[in-house]
Amino acid sequence: MIIKVCGMRDPDNIRQVDELGMVDWMGFIFFPRSPRHVSEVPTYLPKDCKRVGVFVNATTEDIANRIHTFGFHLVQLHGNETPEYLSSLRKAIGNGLKIIKMIQIASVEDLAKTHSYEGLVDYFLFETKCQGYGGSGQQFDWDILWHYTGKTPFLITGGIGVDDAEKVKAFHHPQFVGIDLNSRFETAPAFKDVARIQNFVQIIQSKK
């Protein structure tokens, strides 16, 4: 299972999470209205975790520049990006990087939004539906995802905390490949509690 920690910014905290050896992907948010917005390159960038750039309705030029500066392995799109935009982005960044598209979920009907992105993205990130583009810190009903029949693998995010470790461990779907952790693992915006992450991952990786 992919463990993604999003909303990182502090160089020492980035190093601590990276050196845990338990996190696969680390996300950096480029959205000025986010309390986790990254305005400059941290003095330490992860060496073990794959780097994910998180964008909201950004230009392809901006994304390409950030990829060059931060050495991203994946791009996450968290806005109203259209399938046409996805095609132009892929031409701009090439096939070497993976693309994640966030889809807000509140009902089974919301899964229909995935249809037009099939074949254009590498992963979906299913997030709790809310106003605007930021996360709500709340969970949606994961049972909705049993109605997802697409071929694109997905990650789940939205209000996942340490107490949800057993729930994550018990959830199974043919295309479910990972989870995205953020606010419920923070002591302050963009600062993660490393021990909390470690405890969570140990539980979901245990065989009991």
Side-chain angles (χ1 to χ4, degrees), residues 25 74-75 86 90 95 97-101 117 119-124 151-155 177:
W25 299 353
L74 302 99
V75 169
L86 262 295
R90 180 59 79 189
N95 295 319
L97 277 78
K98 303 290 187 183
I99 297 177
I100 307 164
K101 180 70 183 85
Y117 295 102
L120 294 174
V121 301
D122 300 283
Y123 302 94
F124 288 120
K151 303 298 184 187
T152 302
F154 67 83
L155 292 86
V177 295

Side-chain angles (χ1 to χ4, degrees), residues 10-115:
D10 178 83
D12 290 334
N13 195 220
I14 292 169
R15 183 192 299 272
Q16 291 169 344
V17 172
D18 190 37
E19 291 179 350
L20 263 182
M22 292 179 156
V23 175
D24 303 291
W25 299 353
M26 189 180 293
F28 298 84
I29 297 172
F30 300 95
F31 183 51
R33 281 184 274 169
S34 169
R36 299 166 186 85
H37 173 62
V38 177
S39 58
E40 59 186 16
V41 181
T43 54
Y44 179 89
L45 288 170
K47 296 177 172 58
D48 292 331
C49 302
K50 289 188 175 180
R51 306 170 192 177
V52 185
V54 181
F55 301 91
V56 177
N57 302 326
T59 65
T60 56
E61 182 180 18
D62 182 36
I63 292 177
N65 288 337
R66 301 284 189 185
I67 290 169
H68 177 74
T69 305
F70 282 77
F72 288 129
H73 304 92
L74 302 99
V75 169
Q76 178 176 316
L77 304 176
H78 227 267
N80 301 320
E81 297 87 3
T82 64
E84 293 74 22
Y85 172 90
L86 262 295
S87 296
S88 63
L89 177 63
R90 180 59 79 189
K91 290 177 184 175
I93 68 175
N95 295 319
L97 277 78
K98 303 290 187 183
I99 297 177
I100 307 164
K101 180 70 183 85
M102 185 277 293
I103 303 288
Q104 292 190 338
I105 302 292
S107 67
V108 172
E109 288 71 29
D110 292 317
L111 292 171
K113 300 171 191 171
T114 63
H115 298 165

